[in-house]
Amino acid sequence: MSRIVDFELFRDDLARAVPRSDGSKGGRSPFDLVFMFKVLILQASHSLSDERTKFLIKDRLSFMRFLGLGLSDPVPDANTTWTFREALTRAEITGKPAIAVLFCAYEAALCAAGFLAMGGQIVDATVVAAPKQRNTEAEKAELKAGRVPDAWKAHPAKLAQKDRDARWTIKWSKAKPAEDGSKRIDLAVPAFGYKNHIGIDRRHGLIRTWTATDAARHDGAQWPGLLSKANTAGDVWVDTAYRSKANEAYLAGNGFRSRIHRKKPPGKPMARNVARANGGKSKVRAAIEHVFVPAARGRSARPRRWRGARR
């Protein structure tokens, strides 16, 4: 990552997003903005808590090299990391979320390094687990309506521990043979949390677009904002969850070529030519699963630690 991206490109945007004191009032000098941004990258890449981030920066030479630290250099504590992340999460640059502006700068850095978006694009989503909430039916109804339950308003400490943006969804596992081998069954696994929606280019497999929603949002409703006309090819590969007349019309009306998997007819076997076409599409679409795997391994199936959709 250090070889591909010159992190100094982010300095001006970070300075606008998280302004620092001029030092006239004294006090300890703050950590460098680009340094703290790289700390957040390490933290997000490995799904680390603030305390664990501090420990591993001191423990791993690879982290030290990435951050440009020596063995005796100071390391930001958990409160420093939390404060910087919160400031960056809430910041805006020219009316846009700071994270979106920084991501555009990252895209420009990739293009400058020769990693152009080529060969078409692949879009998919993955569930990110959050700590489960033990809410009553009345509290759930209030949250769905966009309101804070009255019982929580009087207890700020309790409210701070509640994730009001995460939602439940059903995640279907791959079909597996039954114990007697006579038929195949699907397993429905409930999940609570969020969804990461991303788009990658086929040539390099690098993330080009992204958005985050609660887990209950339908994948197919999010993808218009994930498609980019900057790609050198118009092909779009996605699974059957994205197939609809509206999405097909959107592709045709914006110069994209549909490579969406076709669904199996209800109660009928899949036609051989359709199955063969889906198999060819799967060989391409599988590349996006390779992007999700390192994140899943880093999380080790643990829930995310930060509450709220903005974080």
Side-chain angles (χ1 to χ4, degrees):
M1 189 179 294
S2 294
R3 289 194 299 269
I4 294 174
V5 180
D6 179 9
F7 285 92
E8 286 299 317
L9 296 173
F10 301 102
R11 183 174 295 280
D12 291 341
D13 289 332
L14 288 169
R16 290 196 292 269
V18 189
R20 293 295 179 84
S21 169
D22 58 6
S24 59
K25 295 183 178 180
R28 186 180 65 179
S29 299
F31 285 95
D32 181 72
L33 286 169
V34 175
F35 171 85
M36 289 302 303
F37 184 54
K38 293 169 76 174
V39 169
L40 296 189
I41 291 175
L42 286 176
Q43 186 179 44
S45 300
H46 298 270
S47 187
L48 303 174
S49 66
D50 296 334
E51 290 288 352
R52 187 67 175 169
T53 300
K54 174 184 176 181
F55 173 80
L56 289 181
I57 291 175
K58 291 183 174 182
D59 183 69
R60 293 189 179 182
L61 292 176
S62 58
F63 280 25
M64 292 183 186
R65 284 193 293 268
F66 178 66
L67 297 173
L69 289 176
L71 294 174
S72 60
D73 290 333
V75 173
D77 59 21
N79 288 337
T80 301
T81 302
W82 185 91
T83 302
F84 182 80
R85 186 179 62 250
E86 283 296 289
L88 192 59
T89 298
R90 300 175 184 277
E92 292 186 352
I93 302 174
T94 63
K96 298 179 181 179
I99 296 298
V101 175
L102 292 167
F103 192 83
C104 289
Y106 161 75
E107 171 74 9
L110 291 181
C111 293
F115 292 91
L116 302 177
M118 302 173 65
Q121 47 202 315
I122 311 170
V123 176
D124 203 357
T126 185
V127 174
V128 180
K132 298 177 182 178
Q133 305 289 293
R134 304 300 194 263
N135 301 328
T136 65
E137 292 299 326
E139 290 171 342
K140 292 178 183 178
E142 289 285 316
L143 292 175
K144 288 183 179 180
R147 298 187 294 268
V148 179
D150 293 334
W152 296 0
K153 295 179 181 178
H155 300 84
K158 181 177 182 179
L159 181 60
Q161 297 299 318
K162 292 292 186 179
D163 194 330
R164 290 171 281 166
D165 298 327
R167 294 292 184 270
W168 284 96
T169 188
I170 296 296
K171 184 175 178 62
W172 291 91
S173 70
K174 293 182 179 180
K176 298 180 180 180
E179 293 182 359
D180 58 3
S182 60
K183 60 180 181 179
R184 300 176 69 85
I185 57 175
D186 288 338
L187 298 178
V189 181
F192 180 80
Y194 298 87
K195 278 184 181 178
N196 275 339
H197 307 261
I198 68 169
I200 67 172
D201 67 292
R202 181 184 179 186
R203 174 65 178 84
H204 301 289
L206 294 170
I207 298 174
R208 304 291 178 162
T209 56
W210 66 275
T211 188
T213 66
D214 61 72
R217 297 289 186 90
H218 192 273
D219 298 355
Q222 311 304 320
W223 80 324
L226 296 171
L227 298 179
S228 172
K229 294 186 177 181
N231 199 288
T232 60
D235 301 276
V236 178
W237 286 269
V238 290
D239 60 27
T240 55
Y242 295 83
R243 177 168 286 280
S244 69
K245 292 182 179 180
N247 285 345
E248 292 284 4
Y250 180 87
L251 291 177
N254 288 272
F256 297 109
R257 286 187 294 274
S258 173
R259 296 290 186 264
I260 306 177
H261 283 225
R262 292 194 174 274
K263 298 180 180 180
K264 176 183 174 296
K268 298 180 180 179
M270 179 78 78
R272 182 173 298 181
N273 63 320
V274 175
R276 189 182 304 114
N278 280 351
K281 295 171 184 175
S282 293
K283 292 180 180 179
V284 177
R285 200 192 66 82
I288 201 166
E289 304 297 342
H290 304 162
V291 178
F292 287 135
V293 166
R297 287 178 178 170
R299 290 195 297 267
S300 299
R302 294 191 305 268
R304 65 194 301 280
R305 293 176 174 84
W306 306 319
R307 297 177 179 84
R310 290 174 65 94
R311 297 186 181 94

